[in-house]
Amino acid sequence: MPAFGISTAVTALVGRYIGRGKPDVAVRRAHLGFAVAVTYMLVCAALFIIFRHQLISLFSVDEEVQQLGATLLVFAAVYQLFDAMYIVYYGALRGAADTFVPAVATAVLCWSITVAGGYAISRGVPRLGPSGPWYLATGYGIILGLFMYLRFMRGGWRSINLDRPATADTVPNLKMAMES
């Protein structure tokens, strides 16, 4: 949850600095937000790995459940870094008004990798058990995190004009709202 709070702050800061005509400061604030988020997430990841058996034992005394849970915490630990990357840079892209492509990429990757891929691997390679879908979920996190970071760094958002006035052509239903 802290990463989402940081992402919200990054959204506001990126929008603010773009509005002030300082896109380079916006980039620095996005990177600072990522540094804070990734520090937190990597501490969590370290705790997940180091204390995985102790953490799982809080929820079950069953040895099989503990072993499986400890294994899945390793996947969750790896996911942390890329989740922070996704969350923060998606927020930065929102602040820069670059929302359509990131939203489509998130939906397509989620449905294709985690949902369809998770189903396929659970049916096609059942010996992997719950780890199978987690391999894909971790891959999804890595791909999505890198996608958001690279999209932000490419800087296509710099050409988006946030200063144009709202008109009936640029904002759906504005004409109806103005007539009401």
Side-chain angles (χ1 to χ4, degrees):
M1 294 315 295
F4 285 107
I6 292 166
S7 176
T8 300
V10 166
T11 300
L13 289 171
V14 167
R16 168 192 270 175
Y17 287 109
I18 289 173
R20 289 183 177 175
K22 298 179 179 182
D24 293 337
V25 177
V27 170
R28 289 196 304 271
R29 292 305 174 260
H31 292 324
L32 177 61
F34 176 64
V36 172
V38 80
T39 299
Y40 170 79
M41 299 289 256
L42 289 177
V43 167
C44 291
L47 294 172
F48 286 176
I49 291 172
I50 295 167
F51 299 108
R52 64 186 178 270
H53 296 287
Q54 294 86 343
L55 288 169
I56 294 301
S57 71
L58 295 172
F59 298 96
S60 177
V61 295
D62 183 307
E63 285 295 321
E64 188 176 342
V65 170
Q66 287 183 1
Q67 191 59 39
L68 177 60
T71 299
L72 296 181
L73 274 177
V74 173
F75 285 106
V78 171
Y79 191 88
Q80 296 297 303
L81 166 67
F82 297 97
D83 200 32
M85 188 180 291
Y86 159 70
I87 291 168
V88 171
Y89 286 109
Y90 191 50
L93 289 165
R94 279 194 317 269
D98 184 359
T99 57
F100 180 74
V101 170
V104 170
T106 301
V108 168
L109 289 171
C110 180
W111 281 96
S112 65
I113 295 174
T114 60
V115 177
Y119 178 80
I121 202 166
S122 67
R123 296 291 186 209
V125 193
R127 71 181 181 289
L128 291 176
S131 294
W134 266 99
Y135 280 114
L136 293 175
T138 303
Y140 161 79
I142 292 167
I143 293 166
L144 195 57
L146 290 172
F147 175 84
M148 295 303 168
Y149 171 74
L150 293 172
R151 182 157 181 93
F152 184 74
M153 292 309 296
R154 275 191 47 234
W157 52 268
R158 290 176 186 255
S159 65
I160 298 173
N161 182 1
L162 297 178
D163 293 330
R164 68 178 178 226
T167 66
D169 295 333
T170 61
V171 179
N173 301 321
L174 180 64
K175 186 176 180 179
M176 287 191 319
M178 293 174 72
E179 292 172 355
S180 300

